[in-house]
Amino acid sequence: KQRLGKFEQANGGTIFLDEIGDMSLDAQAKVLRALQESKIARVGGDKEIKVDVRVLAATNKDLRKEIEAKRFREDLYHRLAVIIIEVPPLNERRGDIPMLVEHFIELICTEYGIASKKITKEALVALQNVNWTGNIRELRNVVERLIILSGNELTADHVMNYVGPFQRPE
């Protein structure tokens, strides 16, 4: 049974390419061809299929440096770089952490089917002082860990006990 590829599934819509900076040069060439020619070929197939997709791409790498190091195709970069949105790392926008934590508490408690938990101001301050190398994903995982391992209220002590050794507040 033949399965549709990602570009074919996204035909007429949007495809999100996450961590495009980690894509192999061979895969980059295929993506570039699909974007330039609006055509793809299925693996093992001999006919081309017309596709019309809008592409959103994300990476945590500096693609200019990747281009200089010959790990990312400059022509693909220019094809993708129509509108660039740079999001600073979480360590550079610590003021966003309280709002994000509140959002994640509601989201995770709803997912688990449990009552929302409260978080102390001191816990929020402790979370703002963590070294967030993994950005939002890391913050979400820490909030989930706090929800699982703590009682009805999340405290600064919980933060100190349940963040990883490389995340300890400064």
Side-chain angles (χ1 to χ4, degrees), residues 114 117-118 146-155 158 162:
I114 61 174
K117 296 192 178 195
K118 302 289 181 208
L146 289 169
I147 288 169
I148 292 168
L149 299 174
S150 304
N152 291 331
E153 184 175 67
L154 312 178
T155 67
H158 292 130
Y162 301 136

Side-chain angles (χ1 to χ4, degrees), residues 30-41:
K30 291 175 183 173
V31 168
L32 179 63
R33 182 173 181 266
L35 296 177
Q36 285 178 328
E37 299 175 15
S38 296
K39 296 177 188 170
I40 57 146

Side-chain angles (χ1 to χ4, degrees), residues 101-102 104-106 108-109 114-127 139-140 142-160 162:
V101 168
E102 294 290 344
F104 289 139
I105 288 172
E106 291 303 315
I108 294 164
C109 288
I114 61 174
S116 183
K117 296 192 178 195
K118 302 289 181 208
I119 185 163
T120 66
K121 288 182 180 170
E122 295 79 16
L124 287 172
V125 168
L127 287 168
L139 175 62
R140 187 199 186 284
V142 166
V143 171
E144 186 169 9
R145 184 180 316 134
L146 289 169
I147 288 169
I148 292 168
L149 299 174
S150 304
N152 291 331
E153 184 175 67
L154 312 178
T155 67
D157 285 341
H158 292 130
V159 172
M160 294 304 293
Y162 301 136

